[in-house]
C-alpha cells in the first residue's frame, strides 16, 4: 500500500515542475520540500546521500535561476539595478492583474521606459528590455528543466537504485 506521506512528497515534486511555469510559485522550493519530506519519511535512508546531495544541488540551482535569472539577463543587457528592481515590481503587479502576459509586457515596458529616460538611446533601451524579457523566459525554461531533472533523478534514486 502506498503511504500518504510518499504520495504527498511526489505531489510536491510534481508541483515543483508546475510551479516553475507559474510566476510567483516557488517551484524549486516545492521540489526540495518533496525531496526532503520523502527522505524524512524513509528515516533518512532514501534517496541515498549522494543522490540527495545531487538533487539538493539541482534544487538550489533552480532557486538561483528563479531569483536571479531575470535580473542577471537585464543587467547583461545594460539595465541598471534600479531599473531591474522597478521592472520586477511593475511586472509582478501587472501579472496579478492580467496574468503572465502582463508580467512580460510590464517587464519589457518598464525596462524600456526607465532605460530610455536614463540614457536617452532608443536602441540601447530596446536591447535592455529585450534582454530582460528573454531572460525571464529563459530562466523559466531552465527552472522547468531543473525541476524535471529533480523528479526524474528522485525516481531513479528511489525506484531503480
Amino acid at each position: 500500500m502506498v503511504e500518504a506521506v510518499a504520495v504527498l512528497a511526489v505531489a510536491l515534486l510534481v508541483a515543483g515542475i508546475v510551479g516553475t511555469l507559474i510566476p510567483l510559485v516557488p517551484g524549486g522550493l516545492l521540489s526540495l520540500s518533496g525531496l526532503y519530506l520523502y527522505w524524512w519519511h524513509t528515516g533518512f535512508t532514501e534517496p541515498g546521500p549522494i543522490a540527495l546531495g545531487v538533487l539538493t544541488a539541482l534544487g538550489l540551482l533552480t532557486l538561483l535561476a528563479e531569483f536571479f535569472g531575470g535580473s542577471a539577463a537585464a543587467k547583461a543587457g545594460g539595465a541598471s539595478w534600479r531599473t531591474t528592481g522597478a521592472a520586477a515590481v511593475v511586472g509582478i503587479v501587472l501579472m496579478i492583474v492580467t496574468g503572465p502576459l502582463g508580467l512580460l509586457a510590464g517587464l519589457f515596458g518598464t525596462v524600456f521606459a526607465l532605460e530610455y529616460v536614463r540614457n536617452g538611446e532608443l536602441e540601447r533601451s530596446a536591447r535592455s528590455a529585450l534582454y530582460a524579457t528573454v531572460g525571464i523566459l529563459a530562466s523559466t525554461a531552465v527552472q522547468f528543466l531543473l525541476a524535471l531533472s529533480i523528479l526524474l533523478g528522485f525516481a531513479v534514486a528511489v525506484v531503480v537504485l
Side-chain angles (χ1 to χ4, degrees):
M1 184 168 123
V2 178
E3 296 181 24
V5 175
V7 170
L8 178 59
V10 172
L12 284 168
L13 286 162
V14 171
I17 295 169
V18 174
T20 62
L21 301 174
I22 302 170
L24 300 179
V25 176
L29 191 57
L30 289 170
S31 292
L32 286 172
S33 297
L35 175 66
Y36 279 91
L37 177 64
Y38 189 85
W39 186 58
W40 168 79
H41 173 67
T42 63
F44 308 106
T45 58
E46 289 186 29
I50 293 173
L52 184 68
V54 169
L55 296 173
T56 299
L58 290 173
L60 293 174
L61 282 173
T62 305
L63 289 171
L64 285 173
E66 180 178 354
F67 293 131
F68 301 113
S71 297
K75 192 68 179 158
S80 70
W81 286 117
R82 181 175 290 171
T83 296
T84 302
V89 171
V90 170
I92 289 169
V93 169
L94 286 177
M95 191 265 320
I96 292 169
V97 175
T98 63
L101 290 178
L103 171 68
L104 294 175
L107 181 70
F108 184 90
T110 303
V111 170
F112 179 80
L114 292 179
E115 285 302 301
Y116 187 74
V117 166
R118 186 171 79 105
N119 63 41
E121 297 177 31
L122 188 65
E123 189 174 311
R124 183 174 172 190
S125 300
R127 186 187 72 221
S128 293
L130 186 62
Y131 267 67
T133 305
V134 170
I136 287 289
L137 296 173
S139 171
T140 298
V142 167
Q143 292 172 58
F144 175 82
L145 292 173
L146 286 169
L148 181 62
S149 298
I150 293 168
L151 176 63
L152 295 176
F154 171 82
V156 168
V158 171
V159 176
V160 176
L161 300 179

